[in-house]
Amino acid sequence: MAYNDKVLDHYENPRNVGTMDKSDPSVGTGLVGAPACGDVMKLQIKVNAQGVIEDARFKTFGCGSAIASSSLVTEWVKGKTLDEAETMKNTQIAQHLALPPVKIHCSVLAEDAIKAAIADYRAKAALDTTKKAS
Amino acid sequence: MSGNGTNGETAQRNIRLPIYMDYQATTPCDPRVVQAMLPYFTEKFGNPHSRSHSFGWEAEQAVETARGQIASLIGANEKDVIITSGATESNNLALKGVAAFYRDRKDHIITVKTEHKCVLDTARHLEQEGMRVTYLPVKPNGLVDLEELKAAMTERTLIVSIMAVNNEIGVIQPIAEIGQICRERGAFFHTDAAQAVGKIPLDVEAMKIDLMSISGHKIYGPKGIGALYVRRKPRVRLKAMIDGGGQERGMRSGTLPTPLCVGLGEACRIAAAEMVTDNERLRRLSKRLYDGIVGAIPDVFLNGDPDQRIPGNLNLSFAYVEGESLLMAIKDIAVSSGSACTSASLEPSYVLRALGVEEEMAHTSIRFGIGRFTTESEVDFAIETVLKHVGRLREMSPLWEMVQEGVDLKSIQWAGH
Amino acid sequence: MRNLDHNAGAPLKPAVAAAMAIGGNASSVHGIGRAARAAIEDARERVAALVGARAGDVVFTSGGTEANNLALRGTGMRRRLASAIEHPSVLRAVPDLEILPCDEDGIVRLEAVDGPALVSVMAANNEVGTVQPIRDIAATVRAHGGLYHCDAVQMAGRLPIDMGELGIDLLTLSAHKLGGPQGVGALVAGPRVGDLAPEMRGGGQERGRRAGTEPVALIAGFGIAATLARHEIDDRARIAALRDRLEAAITDMAPAARVLGRDAPRLPNTTCVTMPGVAAETQVIAFDLAGFAISSGAACSSGKVGPSHVLAAMGVDPCEAATAVRISLGWDTTEDDIGAFTAAWASLYARLGHARAAA
């Protein structure tokens, strides 16, 4: 199938590919998908003391649309608070990239990935608070 | 590399982009085939069934010459060759036609899980109509286990349909042995030889083949034409699928497209004359491609038997790189991630699944199909492009990263979606 | 050799040949495959435009025969009727076909249409050229809740035809009868037709209605031929005038010669004319030697030379039918061709015909 220009741009020049230290308490990591389904996304966020996402990184095993969806999400979440980032919907991603129906699941996966990263960060932060309290 | 190389000339080498490496999906018409066909489009345009004037006679003569060329390539009598619109029709006709004729006496069909969609789809349809169908599994190398075939056969077995060469992975089934088994047990043997004709020696007598499907456009002939070999001695009877004017001994009605018949005939003539030299060249190129990729990067696997295969097909799994993203990356090389009929869907190839290739590996497979017009510099360009992009995509792959870190991917609880 | 057998097939038009230089498998996802797909979809629109249909209604087949088979078998209609003068690919498509008779001009009689059924009546007959009252047939079939299939192989590209306006539900086309390549045709299935059960099963091409790798070159050629056919439709008055001149010349010199179906509406290019006392086979051989290709009937019967079922259905006496030949004109037919043929006809008739006996 022919790809949309925006998908091609993100695919050929992916933004924010890379890895951050998982053990860093300011980093939240989301790993979603499954190799058997043909796509796996790892999305990481680095959150500052004000609860704002300072940086984001991704690695994706998947088709061009999956790579583009994750690349786009890393761009979008930077500078957003966790609460703002959490409201992001897969439909926004799908619309922006003009994904065809068979590729909608890529945007769903990207939404899952950012939510998983936020949840991971919050879980770590909660654990950290508990530790400090005890 | 970027997209703007498309349709241009690369600076370093004199090759035209995109490079065509999808010879199992279809082949370009050999220029000699085109030359042979051209007069029959224009000045010799007659209807070969017109018996009343020389336009018709000339066309009829051309069709019969072509029929002889087709027959000669497979060791058949020309009277046994039925011309069709292509291998899909031939496969449909072979199975439905034989089933319709003999179903009162025998009602069991044996085929294989890795057959072309049109054989499997036809078999399923016949199942709905009350035939029993056995879908044989294949060994991990893609070949049928002859003992399993024997075990599956009963006195109710009407026909065994096993393809000669697989379209996705290029493995060659033991056709002569299968023919022998079928003959001994009184079942008809049909082989879908769309990917085999002109690429491996085929002889319907020596291999005891009763029906054989042939495609024009897989052997450098035109699209829209194919043939079905139907044995007369001992006789195989079938009910026609397309009825009308009673052409092709009543087994296939419709005006024969003279230019296409001529093209198929010429393609068969060339294949017969050049099979040995073509194969030698392809073996060399195929080895170059395989060594160039597999020798340079780890975790690349060949699907299908390494020896029992045609040289024009290399189906490789690139672990940790998703096939469709690789297709997109190497878009200056026209390749496929499965058979052309199904590659638009997201399902991993049913052929690779039947081999026992795990789903995650099936998702990473690319079929490189090389052929008569593939050059060494094209192969080198392909190697270079593939290495570069597999490297890039692996750097982007979380799976590759985890494996480098020593994580066993199987130990992870993946959340399917 | 002058070709006066256009109904059997015509030479490819040069522009059609030019459009056919395209390859690739339209199901492949790479650029070459997508270009093939685009060419096929362009052709689909062109073919649809020729017959007043939607592009999505067009199912490409290997030709008219396959399309007729698919129409008769694929709609799910249990009861099927067809006129006696249909092409064998309609008459032999299903075993339980009911036959509708026709009158002496070859016009079908519809009294038997009394309930829901698939009714197959060709637009124009290939042997005589009679044009059926398509609109009336469609209305009758529809009033009884049936589907109307029209084999338009001979009419498309000769006279205008609009499925929507005429009320045709299924329509058969053959590329090589309108200046396109052999080996491709179409069944156009309009909005009243539900799912078509495929005859050809496999890779799901043609939206599951006809499997098999699409012959992209042939389809592209078909598309251009469909567009160019409009010129020929516009040229119909010229062609009809040539045909009328030919008929007038023949009946003037041999009043006993008869033009069959002359009183019915006919295709502008076709005439079926008898030469008293001279067997059709003798005529075609003699005309071939004289440099003219004509036909003694439909060119589909695998060499079987038998009496025409079409003429029989029209009630033509078998002895007279045996002297009838079909002459069919086309876009490349000239006045000179007609003049030369008339002279050849006269000379043959003088040599072998009843004229000699009378003299």
Side-chain angles (χ1 to χ4, degrees):
Chain A
M1 64 203 76
Y3 282 98
N4 172 282
D5 284 345
K6 282 179 184 158
V7 173
L8 279 178
D9 177 39
H10 275 281
Y11 172 75
E12 279 172 4
N13 315 292
R15 328 308 194 238
N16 309 312
V17 175
T19 298
M20 296 189 281
D21 181 4
K22 265 200 304 231
S23 57
D24 180 341
S26 66
V27 170
T29 303
L31 181 67
V32 296
C37 303
D39 27 38
V40 174
M41 277 183 199
K42 188 186 78 170
L43 205 141
Q44 293 183 301
I45 50 172
K46 190 176 173 62
V47 184
N48 68 14
Q50 287 72 46
V52 173
I53 298 171
E54 278 187 334
D55 202 0
R57 289 278 182 271
F58 85 94
K59 283 202 175 185
T60 289
F61 162 86
C63 66
S65 302
I67 290 172
S69 297
S70 27
S71 169
L72 177 68
V73 165
T74 59
E75 272 197 326
W76 276 3
V77 298
K78 270 202 232 180
K80 289 205 166 69
T81 65
L82 290 177
D83 290 345
E84 286 167 350
E86 218 171 9
T87 62
M88 184 185 307
K89 285 277 168 290
N90 81 289
T91 45
Q92 297 167 286
I93 302 167
Q95 204 170 26
H96 185 83
L97 295 174
L99 296 181
V102 291
K103 293 297 182 188
I104 296 298
H105 73 279
C106 297
S107 64
V108 173
L109 204 62
E111 182 190 321
D112 288 352
I114 184 66
K115 289 198 165 134
I118 292 169
D120 179 58
Y121 169 79
R122 284 187 171 144
K124 273 159 102 180
L127 197 66
D128 202 34
T129 321
T130 327
K131 266 188 208 152
K132 277 175 191 159
S134 60
Chain B
M1 183 198 71
S2 72
N4 53 22
T6 306
N7 292 326
E9 305 270 328
T10 56
Q12 315 90 312
R13 296 194 197 90
N14 192 29
I15 48 176
R16 277 191 65 76
L17 297 179
I19 291 171
Y20 191 71
M21 285 203 178
D22 202 6
Y23 275 79
Q24 279 78 44
T26 187
T27 57
C29 248
D30 190 296
R32 292 168 288 182
V33 170
V34 176
Q35 279 312 312
M37 285 163 63
L38 279 177
Y40 292 91
F41 278 119
T42 49
E43 68 263 30
K44 303 180 180 180
F45 59 86
N47 183 324
H49 315 295
S50 294
R51 288 302 174 91
S52 52
H53 49 69
S54 57
F55 286 111
W57 301 330
E58 183 176 59
E60 188 192 14
Q61 183 56 49
V63 168
E64 293 317 313
T65 302
R67 201 189 299 279
Q69 290 166 324
I70 300 163
S72 139
L73 179 60
I74 57 169
N77 184 307
E78 62 194 47
K79 294 204 177 88
D80 296 7
V81 173
I82 306 298
I83 292 171
T84 68
S85 67
T88 291
E89 185 186 329
S90 297
N91 285 333
N92 273 255
L93 176 58
L95 293 182
K96 285 185 197 160
V98 167
F101 200 91
Y102 295 96
R103 63 182 313 153
D104 295 341
R105 280 164 271 177
K106 289 176 163 191
D107 61 357
H108 181 222
I109 296 173
I110 297 177
T111 185
V112 180
K113 288 182 172 167
T114 54
E115 290 295 307
H116 190 271
K117 274 264 194 255
C118 64
V119 167
L120 295 176
D121 220 38
T122 302
R124 292 219 191 287
H125 175 69
L126 290 170
E127 244 180 321
Q128 285 165 9
E129 294 194 337
M131 300 287 287
R132 284 190 310 117
V133 181
T134 302
Y135 301 92
L136 289 179
V138 291
K139 297 184 281 188
N141 63 1
L143 298 180
V144 169
D145 185 332
L146 296 177
E147 294 309 315
E148 292 205 52
L149 170 62
K150 286 182 198 163
M153 292 181 80
T154 74
E155 71 263 23
R156 303 287 295 170
T157 304
L158 168 61
I159 186 167
V160 173
S161 178
I162 297 179
M163 72 202 319
V165 168
N166 185 272
N167 52 316
E168 289 195 31
I169 56 175
V171 297
I172 305 169
Q173 298 289 356
I175 292 303
E177 289 85 340
I178 296 168
Q180 179 65 32
I181 292 169
C182 293
R183 188 63 58 84
E184 278 165 10
R185 285 154 201 250
F188 293 130
F189 175 34
H190 165 248
T191 185
D192 171 3
Q195 299 284 350
V197 170
K199 295 176 190 138
I200 61 171
L202 288 169
D203 185 307
V204 293
E205 293 307 328
M207 296 172 158
K208 302 187 170 57
I209 295 164
D210 298 310
L211 301 117
M212 181 196 280
S213 301
I214 298 169
S215 162
H217 75 101
K218 309 282 191 193
I219 58 168
Y220 311 98
K223 289 180 188 60
I225 188 114
L228 180 65
Y229 162 77
V230 184
R231 177 178 290 284
R232 276 182 316 151
K233 287 176 191 160
R235 191 167 181 198
V236 180
R237 307 193 62 176
L238 48 81
K239 190 182 172 303
M241 198 166 65
I242 300 183
D243 293 299
Q247 293 93 344
E248 299 299 281
R249 296 197 283 130
M251 289 195 257
R252 204 284 186 181
S253 292
T255 300
L256 282 175
T258 315
L260 304 185
C261 294
V262 169
L264 175 57
E266 176 70 0
C268 288
R269 186 196 66 75
I270 297 170
E274 299 179 1
M275 193 187 303
V276 175
T277 47
D278 256 7
N279 274 344
E280 225 166 84
R281 235 186 99 254
L282 285 177
R283 215 164 280 130
R284 196 165 45 74
L285 289 178
S286 169
K287 185 173 183 319
R288 190 182 182 89
L289 181 58
Y290 180 81
D291 291 347
I293 293 173
V294 177
I297 47 174
D299 300 322
V300 182
F301 307 97
L302 175 69
N303 294 306
D305 193 276
D307 302 314
Q308 286 305 307
R309 63 184 310 113
I310 55 161
N313 175 304
L314 271 185
N315 188 308
L316 300 175
S317 285
F318 295 86
Y320 321 121
V321 176
E322 197 271 339
E324 202 182 312
S325 68
L326 185 54
L327 276 189
M328 223 172 134
I330 60 174
K331 63 180 181 305
D332 280 340
I333 313 169
V335 289
S336 150
S337 63
S339 87
C341 305
T342 48
S343 56
S345 74
L346 299 172
E347 290 295 307
S349 148
Y350 68 92
V351 172
L352 296 180
R353 300 273 300 281
L355 262 63
V357 174
E358 288 174 65
E359 274 194 59
E360 52 258 55
M361 288 301 279
H363 274 294
T364 72
S365 73
I366 298 276
R367 179 181 71 184
F368 295 88
I370 60 175
R372 189 176 287 162
F373 306 108
T374 307
T375 64
E376 197 171 281
S377 46
E378 287 179 340
V379 167
D380 290 345
F381 178 84
I383 295 169
E384 197 179 297
T385 309
V386 166
L387 294 184
K388 179 172 144 195
H389 286 279
V390 169
R392 181 172 87 91
L393 290 167
R394 278 183 174 170
E395 282 312 312
M396 215 189 279
S397 165
L399 304 178
W400 176 252
E401 180 181 74
M402 289 157 92
V403 170
Q404 301 312 300
E405 288 167 356
V407 177
D408 177 7
L409 295 180
K410 296 217 164 34
S411 71
I412 295 183
Q413 282 281 326
W414 298 102
H417 63 101
Chain C
M1 195 66 158
R2 297 181 201 244
N3 178 27
L4 293 175
D5 193 15
H6 272 259
N7 288 9
L12 211 59
K13 292 176 184 169
V16 172
M20 288 172 61
I22 179 166
N25 186 323
S27 295
S28 298
V29 293
H30 46 66
I32 295 163
R34 293 201 304 271
R37 164 68 46 216
I40 289 171
E41 296 316 317
D42 176 64
R44 203 185 297 283
E45 291 190 9
R46 291 171 182 275
V47 170
L50 177 68
V51 296
R54 303 171 304 183
D57 298 342
V58 177
V59 182
F60 288 116
T61 66
S62 66
T65 293
E66 187 189 328
N68 277 341
N69 277 206
L70 182 59
L72 271 279
R73 297 173 187 161
T75 63
M77 279 275 177
R78 294 250 180 84
R79 188 173 175 219
R80 288 160 289 200
L81 301 94
S83 87
I85 59 166
E86 294 303 302
H87 189 267
S89 54
V90 168
L91 294 176
R92 295 185 196 155
V94 290
D96 53 352
L97 189 70
E98 294 172 44
I99 301 296
L100 300 168
C102 56
D103 66 20
E104 61 186 23
D105 284 324
I107 302 298
V108 66
R109 304 179 62 100
L110 295 171
E111 286 82 352
V113 179
D114 55 5
L118 178 87
V119 178
S120 182
V121 178
M122 66 197 341
N125 181 268
N126 51 318
E127 292 185 34
V128 184
T130 313
V131 174
Q132 300 290 341
I134 297 171
R135 192 187 305 274
D136 298 347
I137 298 170
T140 305
V141 172
R142 212 169 262 204
H144 288 94
L147 291 172
Y148 173 35
H149 168 243
C150 178
D151 174 355
V153 161
Q154 292 295 347
M155 188 153 107
R158 306 221 161 98
L159 290 173
I161 187 162
D162 187 309
M163 286 178 72
E165 198 242 330
L166 291 168
I168 298 167
D169 295 310
L170 296 124
L171 182 118
T172 293
L173 295 170
S174 166
H176 81 99
K177 298 288 164 83
L178 45 83
Q182 292 173 343
V184 66
L187 179 66
V188 189
R192 293 179 72 243
V193 181
D195 288 341
L196 267 183
E199 290 280 299
M200 220 75 85
R201 290 166 186 277
Q205 292 92 344
E206 297 296 295
R207 293 206 275 131
R209 295 171 294 184
R210 201 282 186 184
T213 300
E214 301 93 331
V216 53
L218 303 184
I219 290 174
F222 186 10
I224 298 300
T227 300
L228 294 178
R230 291 190 185 156
H231 301 310
E232 217 163 321
I233 293 171
D234 294 342
D235 196 27
R236 63 185 183 272
R238 182 189 74 89
I239 292 174
L242 288 177
R243 191 264 322 261
D244 293 346
R245 223 185 86 193
L246 173 65
E247 289 176 349
I250 288 175
T251 47
D252 278 355
M253 65 182 129
R258 196 156 77 95
V259 174
L260 302 174
R262 198 178 200 169
D263 297 333
R266 282 185 300 157
L267 291 177
N269 79 315
T270 306
T271 181
C272 183
V273 59
T274 66
M275 186 188 278
V278 185
E281 287 307 306
T282 308
Q283 291 182 55
V284 291
I285 292 165
F287 281 120
D288 182 70
L289 291 174
F292 299 92
I294 61 162
S295 163
S296 59
C300 316
S301 306
S302 316
K304 288 189 291 261
V305 178
S308 155
H309 73 286
V310 174
L311 300 186
M314 289 165 64
V316 179
D317 174 82
C319 295
E320 191 182 18
T323 66
V325 297
R326 177 185 75 188
I327 300 151
S328 49
L329 286 49
W331 57 274
D332 59 357
T333 307
T334 62
E335 283 202 31
D336 186 53
D337 293 333
I338 297 303
F341 183 78
T342 308
W345 199 96
S347 128
L348 182 64
Y349 188 55
R351 223 153 27 90
L352 301 175
H354 281 170
R356 190 187 50 157

